[in-house]
Amino acid sequence: MSSFEAMPLDSVETAGGQTLRITEIFRSIQGESDHIGWPTVFVRLTGCPLRCVYCDTAYAFTGGERMTLDTIIEQVRALQTRHVCVTGGEPLAQPNCPALLARLADAGHVVSLETSGALDVSAVDPRVHVVMDLKTPASGEVDRNRWENLDCLKPADEIKVVIGGREDFDWAIARVDEHRLDRRFPVLFSPVHGGVTPTELAEWILDSGREIRFQMQLHKLVWGDEPGR
């Protein structure tokens, strides 16, 4: 049994209400997606059923602190920031994540969700901006893509693909064409650090003729790999 499977990460009900296991809550600059550059509060949920080769948040696989939704909302409110991003790990691995997303939207926040695309997104509140990954061959988790999620997304939601090399790029372009992704949603391609250079990926995108946005992780350009930034 893996460490993830052995850990009781499922959401529970307590005398204080619904709870989630939280790795960290912090304020930073959003480094990705259409919300890039905005001061943002990040709520990082603990646990993920995937093990992508290039994962940069493995510290969120285990541990964390169980908090009630009320406590999470209070901590977010104290940071006095309009934009809130719920991330992980894989936040939807905890069943009470949709309730948190709705509560944040009720509180007047601009809410985004970063998800792997491996779990059902149909219960996500329509007020939430979904940024959903497609896992490429180099991730080691390509078989986990839940393609029916595409029909649950809104036109303003985003598809993010992390590209590790030319094979990943060609695979991603084939999926863009197969599902008409660039006609349905904003599609973002990002380079894996050490897997493909930003220059190579930018040139491949230009040569492809597809409506795809190139992006790099702004927060890493500012602070490097420092957790909580």
Side-chain angles (χ1 to χ4, degrees):
M1 180 177 291
S2 72
S3 59
F4 174 81
E5 293 169 334
M7 185 177 175
L9 284 175
D10 54 306
S11 306
V12 298
E13 300 288 338
T14 70
Q18 293 175 307
T19 70
L20 289 164
R21 191 174 290 276
I22 303 296
T23 292
E24 57 188 351
I25 298 174
F26 61 97
R27 185 172 185 266
S28 185
I29 297 294
Q30 175 59 265
E32 302 181 81
S33 82
D34 275 351
H35 295 175
I36 191 168
W38 286 112
T40 300
V41 173
F42 291 84
V43 181
R44 188 180 304 283
L45 275 62
T46 307
C48 182
L50 279 69
R51 292 295 182 267
C52 298
V53 171
Y54 50 68
C55 181
D56 58 2
T57 54
Y59 64 90
F61 287 168
T62 58
E65 176 185 354
R66 192 169 292 285
M67 297 184 185
T68 65
L69 298 194
D70 286 346
T71 298
I72 298 168
I73 297 297
E74 289 171 5
Q75 290 196 18
V76 170
R77 183 184 298 117
L79 294 172
Q80 300 182 22
T81 303
R82 184 179 181 219
H83 287 78
V84 179
C85 178
V86 176
T87 186
E90 169 48 69
L92 292 177
Q94 298 192 50
N96 283 337
C97 178
L100 173 63
L101 294 167
R103 288 279 303 273
L104 289 167
D106 289 343
H109 293 287
V110 177
V111 185
S112 60
L113 169 71
E114 296 180 344
T115 179
S116 65
L119 300 180
D120 186 2
V121 302
S122 63
V124 173
D125 191 291
R127 295 171 292 178
V128 174
H129 182 74
V130 179
V131 181
M132 191 184 83
D133 286 5
L134 292 182
K135 298 303 182 184
T136 64
S139 74
E141 295 284 12
V142 68
D143 292 334
R144 302 296 292 273
N145 288 310
R146 192 176 191 278
W147 296 104
E148 53 265 49
N149 276 338
L150 295 173
D151 292 329
C152 300
L153 298 180
K154 306 177 296 295
D157 291 334
E158 297 177 75
I159 300 294
K160 184 180 77 172
V161 188
V162 180
I163 303 294
R166 185 71 206 199
E167 179 187 2
D168 275 2
F169 182 83
D170 292 341
W171 177 92
I173 289 295
R175 302 292 81 73
V176 167
D177 291 348
E178 177 184 358
H179 298 281
R180 300 183 300 107
L181 296 180
D182 56 345
R183 299 185 182 185
R184 299 168 64 188
F185 317 103
V187 179
L188 314 176
F189 281 11
S190 301
V192 174
H193 179 71
V196 57
T197 69
T199 301
E200 285 176 318
L201 180 55
E203 290 175 346
W204 294 345
I205 291 172
L206 290 172
D207 290 343
S208 76
R210 306 312 197 281
E211 289 292 317
I212 293 168
R213 286 176 58 188
F214 170 86
Q215 75 164 6
M216 295 181 65
Q217 295 176 302
L218 179 62
H219 54 290
K220 290 190 176 182
L221 297 177
V222 177
W223 290 293
D225 287 326
E226 181 181 347
R229 300 306 299 264

